[in-house]
Amino acid sequence: MAETPEARAASAPLRMGTWFWGCGITPGRWTPDIVNNEFVLKPESAPLEKVKQHLNFLTGFDAILDGKPNHVHVSGTFSLRSGIAPTKFGVMEGPTFETAIADRIGAGVRFKTVDFSATGNVRDTYSYRSAQVRNTPEVSPEALYDRLFGVEFNASAGGEFVPDAKALRRLSVLSVVGEQRKSMAQQLGKEDQDRLDQYFTSVREVEQQLELQTVEPARVEACQAPARPEPMEANYDLANVHRNHELMARLLAMALVCDQTRSFNVLFSNSASSLHRSGEASSHHLYTHEEFTDSELGYQVETSKFVVENMKGWAKFVEILANTPEGDGSLLDNCLVFAHSDTSWAKIHAVQGIPMMTAGAAGGRLRTRQLVTANGDPITRVGLTLQQLVGLPISEWGAGAMRTDAPVSKLLA
């Protein structure tokens, strides 16, 4: 029996997303201690004080490269997301795990996934549907608004529902295209067939979006289209990144409330972090390699300040979800947000102990306030855990030395 709009609105669905920041942390200045079952934060994680009750910290997990080169600012992220250590620089060798999660939890919603980059650069994304196909992020608040709440948005505010006539016409055209697929595939080699399959997967997702415009949407009382943001600069200037990130996070939160999507990928800073302060030429990445370690303090002072800025962004994102009401609790209660960087210590491009966090209770499936300290375990244990948590029927995941059948059970409620 098809799910009615009323039934969909009555139960809060599970949402899952990722949040990325570049250039890691400073060893000894980020990982919290646990005292009396509470996090005691370090200088670089201090911005998370107000949201720490929603978090888990994971340390000591490694990207194991099986003798392959450590492609700087690439190998860590690609190994974590795909389970496969990359052979070539910048070449992902398989789909990233969060796309499988999006397929699992995103049926029946308008957008399979919503991605945005706060840096203004469309290339800043690490979510791949296949080795060749990346999810394209929105890179400005106004573009994200237009996608989520533009002319095709229907909040179903009451009254008689009338299917969108334009959507019906477009559906008819797509059905004809789909019928031509088999005859085209018979004339192609395997590699071209794979490309054709990827294309028609995209066509099918468009078709599903159009189908939803012909069906009465769920009536969610809290769903209200926000005002369209004013155009503003989108680049690596730290002030602009913070502003755009917050605006887009608020748009995403309302899109989740409205059940426009249940999956998302957010990028605060790119892997070789290009963040810079207004009027300064040096970027976060440049500081990690050119700044001397302070002889008295024992760390790179300016580099550490950028880590703090990244954590301010993460804290703001978690705060927005936690302050968005849903049912008897908050939107964050029904979310699983996985945050990570590309390296642990950017100064030496280390892929051992890559910093990771989760936020949210995943609808009661996930514990919080946990510090998980591994001992060089494959980082794929985390990806396996998240996939199993949403119900994907897999018993192991990863390739080579990173293949694992051991989820991080400490996180599971």
Side-chain angles (χ1 to χ4, degrees):
M1 181 180 295
E3 187 179 32
T4 66
E6 291 75 15
R8 288 181 62 195
S11 59
L14 172 64
R15 289 76 157 212
M16 189 274 170
T18 67
W19 194 95
F20 181 88
W21 84 97
C23 281
I25 57 168
T26 305
R29 292 181 56 79
W30 180 81
T31 305
D33 295 321
I34 292 283
V35 178
N36 296 325
N37 295 318
E38 293 288 339
F39 290 129
V40 178
L41 302 176
K42 296 292 180 65
E44 290 182 357
S45 53
L48 305 175
E49 181 67 33
K50 291 183 178 180
V51 298
K52 67 181 183 180
Q53 70 272 23
H54 302 298
L55 304 180
N56 294 312
F57 288 77
L58 300 98
T59 67
F61 293 89
D62 297 351
I64 303 172
L65 305 183
D66 285 333
K68 298 175 184 177
N70 180 0
H71 299 298
V72 298
H73 302 292
V74 169
S75 288
T77 300
F78 283 23
S79 297
L80 188 161
R81 290 285 187 104
S82 72
I84 308 169
T87 302
K88 297 180 180 179
F89 183 86
V91 178
M92 188 77 79
E93 296 189 18
T96 50
F97 74 82
E98 77 285 347
T99 62
I101 292 176
D103 289 341
R104 176 76 178 188
I105 67 176
V109 295
R110 185 177 170 205
F111 299 110
K112 182 68 66 68
T113 185
V114 170
D115 297 31
F116 75 75
S117 166
T119 65
N121 189 339
V122 72
R123 296 184 60 82
D124 287 346
T125 178
Y126 305 109
S127 181
Y128 285 70
R129 294 211 62 83
S130 71
Q132 295 84 26
V133 180
R134 295 191 296 179
N135 282 328
T136 302
E138 302 298 340
V139 295
S140 70
E142 58 269 27
L144 183 62
Y145 176 90
D146 290 342
R147 184 181 181 200
L148 296 174
F149 300 106
V151 294
E152 294 181 347
F153 172 68
N154 188 337
S156 187
E160 182 180 356
F161 173 74
V162 179
D164 187 298
K166 181 179 179 181
L168 290 170
R169 290 194 299 271
R170 292 169 67 187
L171 265 175
S172 177
V173 172
L174 286 178
S175 66
V176 173
V177 173
E179 290 169 2
Q180 298 173 348
R181 176 182 180 178
K182 289 184 179 180
S183 61
M184 293 173 62
Q186 293 173 355
Q187 304 172 37
L188 301 174
K190 186 180 186 309
E191 185 173 340
D192 288 333
Q193 284 185 14
D194 289 342
R195 291 197 180 97
L196 188 66
D197 285 342
Q198 292 165 9
Y199 167 75
F200 275 105
T201 296
S202 299
V203 169
R204 178 55 185 155
E205 289 179 358
V206 172
E207 190 175 34
Q208 288 171 341
Q209 292 175 23
L210 293 172
E211 287 172 348
L212 287 171
Q213 293 176 46
T214 69
V215 178
E216 183 178 6
R219 289 184 172 88
V220 181
E221 185 177 350
C223 175
Q224 300 291 331
R228 188 178 189 274
E230 294 294 326
M232 57 188 63
E233 285 188 272
N235 50 38
Y236 293 107
D237 183 289
L238 190 54
N240 291 336
V241 168
H242 274 299
R243 182 176 60 246
N244 289 331
H245 170 263
E246 180 175 349
L247 286 170
M248 289 193 278
R250 294 188 185 282
L251 292 172
L252 174 64
M254 183 53 67
L256 293 170
V257 168
C258 295
D259 208 23
Q260 297 288 291
T261 188
R262 296 176 184 176
S263 178
F264 55 88
N265 296 291
V266 175
L267 183 139
F268 185 82
S269 56
N270 56 319
S271 58
S273 177
S274 303
L275 296 185
H276 64 87
R277 290 182 285 259
S278 300
E280 290 188 5
S282 293
S283 67
H284 179 191
H285 179 236
L286 197 60
Y287 275 120
T288 66
H289 296 303
E290 297 190 355
E291 182 185 11
F292 288 108
T293 298
D294 187 285
S295 58
E296 294 184 2
L297 298 175
Y299 63 91
Q300 296 170 294
V301 175
E302 296 303 320
T303 299
S304 185
K305 289 179 182 178
F306 275 101
V307 179
V308 169
E309 293 297 333
N310 281 291
M311 292 302 101
K312 287 180 181 177
W314 170 233
K316 177 58 68 174
F317 188 81
V318 175
E319 176 187 302
I320 288 170
L321 298 186
N323 290 343
T324 301
E326 184 168 67
D328 296 330
S330 74
L331 176 61
L332 185 62
D333 293 336
N334 300 303
C335 287
L336 164 58
V337 191
F338 174 57
H340 70 92
S341 194
D342 60 307
T343 179
S344 53
W345 191 15
K347 183 179 179 67
I348 61 171
H349 301 122
V351 293
Q352 297 76 36
I354 291 176
M356 299 176 286
M357 292 170 281
T358 68
R365 300 169 179 85
L366 197 71
R367 302 171 70 187
T368 56
R369 307 186 186 194
Q370 304 299 307
L371 173 61
V372 181
T373 304
N375 185 24
D377 295 18
I379 203 164
T380 43
R381 287 188 62 198
V382 181
L384 173 67
T385 304
L386 302 184
Q387 292 176 83
Q388 291 182 340
L389 185 142
V390 303
L392 282 169
I394 61 170
S395 59
E396 57 183 8
W397 186 66
M402 288 194 293
R403 191 157 191 84
T404 182
D405 61 359
V408 185
S409 57
K410 188 176 181 179
L411 295 180
L412 304 177

